[in-house]
């Protein structure tokens, strides 16, 4: 090694020793005695003594979530061209009642498509049949429906059938031993009952909200067809875009409705949501699975309620019944001899 190299090495070592001495001396007087001590944050006991009734309610709500959520799915739909979403009332700020897609709904400008909508669904058989809304999947492209389970597994879904008159649809994934929702009796639902809405609002999968049934038998005119069936359960459980097709659940963890619409001025939750009664949904789903469509009777008449003026003109002693305003040719009523102007006086009251 050359003399220059030796001198350079000695210089660097000396500089390091001097720097170390200066560094150590700068920490003289610093107290490190806190090292290793426990850090205690917050109060050491709950400020409120546990209330057994509240604790039971807390656990009951949790049990509903734990039981039902695994059977609720996230549905994503790719569409092309014109779709029901183009005329969906959520896109018209002048409308008050809205059916809705999820936060992924979008379309590319300037051409129309592809469009992507999102909603929810509920598993009704262990081999993959899923109940959802017609307006979520009706205009899906071929192989354009994707389902995400609560356990994060993804599946392509087949559209089995839809019914626009009830806004219901059934899709199916190729899977077995799936968690199935318990289907309740919507006829047992009463105003004031506690209910839960479960779905994927605003893209937030596996979300549960709670409210009460605030009205029954609502007809809000959202289906937009003379043959549409509207008998909604109204609730104040928070429902938002993406909840469509998800279940409305009672305190026993039973599905009593399928969330379908909201009353709003901004396409977001403002306090009133609407669900299709589960008893109707079961009938529709059963027929779609068996026959590919919902089979319904068609009487073939249009009627109007008899008012006081009509009753007097017709010579009735009481204001009651319905009057036939038109009869469809060759329909069941026509073949049975029903004619324009006929009045039916049969009472529809429960015996």
């Amino acid at each position: 090694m050359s003399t220059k190299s030796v001198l350079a090495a000695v210089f660097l070592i000396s500089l390091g020793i001097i720097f170390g001495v200066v560094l150590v001396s700068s920490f003289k007087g610093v107290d490190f005695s806190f090292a290793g001590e426990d850090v205690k944050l917050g109060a050491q006991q709950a400020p409120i003594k546990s209330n057994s009734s509240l604790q039971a309610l807390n656990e009951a709500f949790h049990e509903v979530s734990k039981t039902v959520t695994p059977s609720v799915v996230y549905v994503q739909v790719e569409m092309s061209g014109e779709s029901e979403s183009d005329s969906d009332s959520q896109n018209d700020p002048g409308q008050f009642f809205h059916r809705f897609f999820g936060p992924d709904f979008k379309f590319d400008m300037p051409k129309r498509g592809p469009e992507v909508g999102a909603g929810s669904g509920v598993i009704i058989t262990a081999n993959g049949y899923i109940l959802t809304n017609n307006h979520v999947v009706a205009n899906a492209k071929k192989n354009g429906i994707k389902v995400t389970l609560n356990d994060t597994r993804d599946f392509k879904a087949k559209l089995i059938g839809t019914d626009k008159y009830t806004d219901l649809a059934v899709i199916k994934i190729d899977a077995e031993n799936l968690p199935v929702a318990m289907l309740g009796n919507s006829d047992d639902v009463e105003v004031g009952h506690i209910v839960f809405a479960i779905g994927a609002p605003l893209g937030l999968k596996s979300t549960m909200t709670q409210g009460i049934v605030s009205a029954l038998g609502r007809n809000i005119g959202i289906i937009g067809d003379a043959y549409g069936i509207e008998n909604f359960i109204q609730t104040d459980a928070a429902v938002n875009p993406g909840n469509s097709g998800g279940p409305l659940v009672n305190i026993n963890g039973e599905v009593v409705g399928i969330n379908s619409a909201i009353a709003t001025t901004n396409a977001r939750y403002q306090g009133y949501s609407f669900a299709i009664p589960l008893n109707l949904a079961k009938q529709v789903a059963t027929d779609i699975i068996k026959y590919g469509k919902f089979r319904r009777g068609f009487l073939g008449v249009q009627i109007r309620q008899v008012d006081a003026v009509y009753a007097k003109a017709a010579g009735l002693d009481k204001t009651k019944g319905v009057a036939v305003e038109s009869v469809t040719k060759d329909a069941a009523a026509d073949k049975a001899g029903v004619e324009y102007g006929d009045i039916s006086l049969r009472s529809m009251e429960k015996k």
Side-chain angles (χ1 to χ4, degrees), residues 60-73 121-123 180-186 188-190 192-199 207-213 233-239 243 245-259 274-278:
F61 283 12
H62 170 65
E63 193 64 27
V64 170
S65 172
K66 187 172 67 173
T67 301
V68 182
T69 299
S71 66
V72 181
V73 304
V122 57
I123 301 170
V180 180
M182 177 65 70
L183 305 183
N185 182 0
S186 56
D188 291 338
V189 174
E190 299 287 353
H193 283 184
I194 294 172
V195 286
F196 308 90
I198 303 177
T207 293
M208 172 174 154
T209 57
Q210 177 262 324
I212 64 167
V213 174
I233 299 169
Q234 180 180 308
T235 172
D236 66 351
V239 170
N243 270 118
L248 186 73
V249 181
N250 65 17
I251 57 173
N252 298 319
E254 300 168 326
V255 179
V256 293
I258 300 298
N259 297 312
F274 302 93
I276 301 162
L278 198 278

Side-chain angles (χ1 to χ4, degrees), residues 26-251:
S26 66
F27 283 99
K28 284 183 178 180
V30 178
D31 184 8
F32 291 98
S33 60
F34 65 87
E37 289 187 3
D38 291 336
V39 177
K40 297 179 180 180
L41 303 177
Q44 300 307 303
Q45 62 182 15
I48 301 174
K49 188 176 181 180
S50 177
N51 181 294
S52 58
S53 297
L54 287 177
Q55 186 64 31
L57 182 64
N58 197 48
E59 289 304 314
F61 283 12
H62 170 65
E63 193 64 27
V64 170
S65 172
K66 187 172 67 173
T67 301
V68 182
T69 299
S71 66
V72 181
V73 304
Y74 177 64
V75 181
Q76 192 169 24
V77 181
E78 184 178 351
M79 298 165 283
S80 62
E82 293 294 320
S83 70
E84 286 193 5
S85 61
D86 298 327
S87 59
D88 195 286
S89 56
Q90 72 153 332
N91 298 318
D92 181 359
Q95 295 293 323
F96 184 62
F97 295 106
H98 294 247
R99 290 182 302 184
F100 39 82
F101 290 104
D104 296 325
F105 176 75
K106 57 184 179 293
F107 58 87
D108 298 327
M109 295 295 287
K111 69 177 183 178
R112 302 287 297 172
E115 298 173 358
V116 178
S120 302
V122 57
I123 301 170
I124 53 176
T125 69
N127 64 339
Y129 284 101
I130 296 168
L131 182 61
T132 186
N133 280 141
N134 169 67
H135 74 261
V136 171
V137 298
N139 295 96
K141 290 175 58 177
K142 185 177 181 180
N143 298 320
I145 304 174
K146 184 176 80 170
V147 168
T148 302
L149 303 185
N150 182 249
D151 62 14
T152 73
R153 286 184 293 165
D154 290 332
F155 292 87
K156 285 290 185 180
K158 178 183 178 182
L159 180 60
I160 302 301
T162 66
D163 182 59
K164 68 178 182 179
Y165 300 118
T166 55
D167 193 25
L168 291 164
V170 175
I171 59 178
K172 188 179 187 304
I173 61 175
D174 187 12
E176 298 290 340
N177 301 315
L178 295 173
V180 180
M182 177 65 70
L183 305 183
N185 182 0
S186 56
D187 288 345
D188 291 338
V189 174
E190 299 287 353
V191 174
H193 283 184
I194 294 172
V195 286
F196 308 90
I198 303 177
L202 306 175
L204 303 172
K205 302 179 184 69
S206 304
T207 293
M208 172 174 154
T209 57
Q210 177 262 324
I212 64 167
V213 174
S214 53
L216 295 171
R218 287 296 197 209
N219 185 327
I220 59 178
I222 199 170
I223 291 179
D225 190 285
Y227 297 106
I229 301 174
E230 295 191 12
N231 185 31
F232 291 116
I233 299 169
Q234 180 180 308
T235 172
D236 66 351
V239 170
N240 274 295
N243 270 118
S244 272
L248 186 73
V249 181
N250 65 17
I251 57 173

